[in-house]
Amino acid sequence: MIKQPDAKNLRRETSPAEMTRAALVQAALKLFGRQGFDGTSTREIAAEAQANIGSIAYHFGGKEGLRTAAADFIVETIQTVAGPALGNAQAPAPVGPEAAQAQLFAALERMVGFVVASPQAGEIVQFILRELSHPTAALDRIYDGVFEPSHRRLCQLWEQATGEPAESEAARLTVFTLIGQVIYFRIGREAVMRRMGWPDIGAAEAAKVVAVTSGNLKAILAVRKGAKTKGPRP
């Protein structure tokens, strides 16, 4: 039996006020990422969202509150995307190194699918890069909600896959390299398309990126396995 959506909740989710709020968040995400917080006026945000300028104060208390809401939207979006592949720190450990490795590959593929191929990711990454260059309380929310827990979870999977302690310097740096190679395909998108002769980066191109990044992960795992087999040097 298919449960029908609650009419009251449906009305609340699609109310004009909620639609205006969502439009303002999307406009802020786009303009703050493109022009910077100081370089964007509330009037520009309202125009982009096709909303009354007074609605910014009404919904968010002002421009700073809107930046916080944009950061929270990023956290919620990335948690939704990453959650199925990563699980969380309290999730049961994969059964054996092979299962952990399979989860790492699945997480990498999902990361590429969103960061590289999703149009929405462009505005999110631009916003985050602005925050990384000039950190504010918005970055704290993104770090606490996305960066730290996702990185920590990947490190845990790395330990389960390789036996290398999750919080070791080597494990943490390795996980950063896995993430970094994916992020480059977004921040260097224009250069990649020109050099590869791609008119765009869609599902087909993303699959090729997955193949290469997965190959890199396989190579790193093989090196770690070899080092572990050989043991420490006398």
Side-chain angles (χ1 to χ4, degrees), residues 94-102 157 160-162:
V95 183
E98 292 78 12
Q101 289 179 22
L157 290 173
Q160 292 154 9
T162 66

Side-chain angles (χ1 to χ4, degrees), residues 23 52 66 86 98 111 113-114 121 147 154 168 199 225 233-234:
N52 188 295
L66 183 51
L86 286 179
E98 292 78 12
M111 197 185 310
F114 176 70
F147 286 174
L154 285 167
S168 67
K225 183 177 179 181
R233 294 181 179 179

Side-chain angles (χ1 to χ4, degrees), residues 43 45 48 55 70 88 108-109 125 127 129 146 202 214 222 226 233:
R43 190 173 300 279
I45 296 169
E48 178 71 26
S55 59
N88 55 60
L108 187 63
E109 181 175 359
V125 170
F127 183 99
L129 288 175
V146 175
S214 295
R233 294 181 179 179

